Structure formats: C-alpha cells, structure tokens
Amino acid sequence: ELEPRSFSFNTPHGACPTCQGLGVQLELDPDLIVPDPDKSLVEGALDPWPVSEDSWTWQLLRAVSDHFQISVNLPWRELNQAQKQIILLGSGDERVHVQYAHRDGDGYGEYMTQFEGVIPNLNRRYREANSDYVRQRIEEYMSERPCPACGGARLRPESLAVTLDSARIVDVADWPVLQCLAWIDRLQGATEPSPLSGKQSTIARTILKEIHARLDFMVNVGLDYLTLSRSA
C-alpha cells in the first residue's frame, strides 16, 4: 500500500535497500590506491601497502611479480593492463609460490597461495574491521559512486515506479525550481486543463497549494535555478 513515507529516502519504507537511501556507495578507487603512477612497486606505488623487506604484503607482492613476470622497478604507468589487473584484483585460481623471511632472521619459510589482490584485500579488511580507525584509513582510498541499484535516485524500485503526469518524484526533484513551479501550475489547471481527474484534483488541491507557495517563495528570493534534489 502506497503512503507518504514510501517516497522518503529517510525511512526504510522508501529508501533503496542497497544504499540505504544515500544514493551513493563507497568503492575503492585505483587512482587513490596508486596516487603517483610514475612510481614503481619498489618505490611504493601502492600507497596502502608500504614497501618494507620484512613485511608480509611486500614479500607476497614480490612473489606475485616474479610469478607473473611483472617488473617491480618499472613505473606503474608503464605496466600493461593485464599486469595492473593482477596486482589490483588478484590472480584468480592460479597459485603463487611465496618464500618469506622469518621476522627473527632465522631462515625462510614458503607456501603456495592464491593472490587476493590489493582491492579485494582492502575490501575484506574493511568489512571485517572492528576498529573505526582501520575503516577510516581504508576509506581514504575510496570514492563515492552512484548506487548501482537506484542510480543515485535513493528510493526503492517500487517508489520509483510511481508516476504523476508521466513524472516520477525524482524527476520532479531534479528539475529547476522554476520548471517545477510551472509543472505545479499545470497540475492545478492554472495554465491549461489539469491532467488530474476531478477526484484527484480534490485530493491534491491543498497539497498543490502548499507546494506552490513554497516554490513561489524560492523564485521570489532568486533561487529559481536550484533543484530540490541538490545536496546540502
């Protein structure tokens, strides 16, 4: 049953279940993970993974580079796309032989493993983190992307399927205030016969009057160019 809260992204009844009404999702951004593509892997091109001979991540990265014949001395921008994909997204089912130095300096160990990739590794650590500090650090390598489910509209599919005079609520909110006011005039029958039926006009009369007054005020104070969906 449709109700006013169905059209509010601030309530679970209206909000897109994928992004919880935010309209965006945080995703790891390769450009933030590799902020300076002129650096090589050995020079620290991968910002979240510091270069240290005794670190697990660096020894793993060296093994992956050797296995797939990726130069750790070549600037990141000169690696081909397939090589970058392996580093960022992992080796898939292919296993890599890793030899690592013991921290106490007492010899070496070795094992076979699939390489997770920098982005899946950070994603997993972000999901599993109990520490706000860890999550905030990983968020430094993330960018906002429009939600893939609602396309940034913030509402659930059922709400986005509802139209009035062929317009959805998100369409109206994306119009400049002046265009929105003209549309309200049309619904009121001020400029042309209203597309609403007699019963619909009766139900909508008070609502349209209130919306018209608020939009008219925005026009009068020079804010007619704004859109109601504009983020604050």
Side-chain angles (χ1 to χ4, degrees):
E1 191 72 22
L2 289 173
E3 48 188 319
R5 61 182 180 174
S6 302
F7 302 96
S8 171
F9 47 73
N10 290 317
T11 74
H13 297 83
C16 167
T18 301
C19 64
Q20 284 77 53
L22 295 175
V24 295
Q25 285 187 321
L26 285 174
E27 290 183 3
L28 286 157
D29 188 337
D31 291 335
L32 297 179
I33 292 173
V34 186
D36 185 357
D38 288 321
K39 285 185 177 180
S40 65
L41 293 175
V42 77
E43 292 171 330
L46 299 172
D47 200 65
W49 282 15
V51 177
S52 172
E53 282 298 328
D54 62 348
S55 73
W56 171 81
T57 51
W58 175 243
Q59 293 183 66
L60 175 60
L61 191 58
R62 286 297 296 258
V64 170
S65 299
D66 290 342
H67 182 88
F68 291 100
Q69 298 182 328
I70 301 172
S71 172
V72 297
N73 298 303
L74 207 60
W76 177 263
R77 69 168 69 254
E78 294 183 26
L79 299 180
N80 62 46
Q81 196 59 35
Q83 292 171 329
K84 292 177 181 177
Q85 290 286 93
I86 289 170
I87 298 295
L88 292 176
L89 300 178
S91 63
D93 294 331
E94 192 164 344
R95 296 169 71 82
V96 177
H97 175 259
V98 182
Q99 186 180 57
Y100 61 95
H102 292 299
R103 286 186 179 274
D104 57 9
D106 185 21
Y108 293 86
E110 55 185 289
Y111 62 96
M112 296 292 294
T113 185
Q114 295 169 323
F115 178 56
E116 187 178 25
V118 178
I119 289 178
N121 174 268
L122 291 173
N123 267 326
R124 177 177 55 77
R125 287 165 53 196
Y126 185 76
R127 289 193 310 270
E128 297 174 354
N130 295 318
S131 162
D132 287 340
Y133 172 77
V134 171
R135 292 175 66 87
Q136 288 169 3
R137 287 283 293 130
I138 296 175
E139 284 175 2
E140 293 176 8
Y141 302 103
M142 292 179 165
S143 295
E144 288 186 349
R145 299 280 190 267
C147 171
C150 66
R154 306 174 79 168
L155 295 173
R156 59 172 57 248
E158 297 87 347
S159 303
L160 292 174
V162 179
T163 62
L164 175 61
D165 190 30
S166 301
R168 303 174 302 164
I169 189 171
V170 292
D171 299 327
V172 176
D174 283 340
W175 293 340
V177 165
L178 201 59
Q179 181 181 349
C180 196
L181 181 61
W183 184 68
I184 294 296
D185 282 338
R186 168 178 159 78
L187 295 181
Q188 288 180 311
T191 56
E192 56 183 285
S194 172
L196 304 180
S197 68
K199 182 180 179 181
Q200 290 173 328
S201 294
T202 300
I203 294 170
R205 182 178 297 117
T206 303
I207 301 169
L208 293 176
K209 181 180 178 182
E210 180 69 21
I211 295 173
H212 188 282
R214 296 185 184 205
L215 292 175
D216 196 43
F217 172 79
M218 293 184 72
V219 171
N220 288 336
V221 296
L223 300 177
D224 53 298
Y225 61 92
L226 292 179
T227 65
L228 301 181
S229 63
R230 180 166 173 162
S231 173

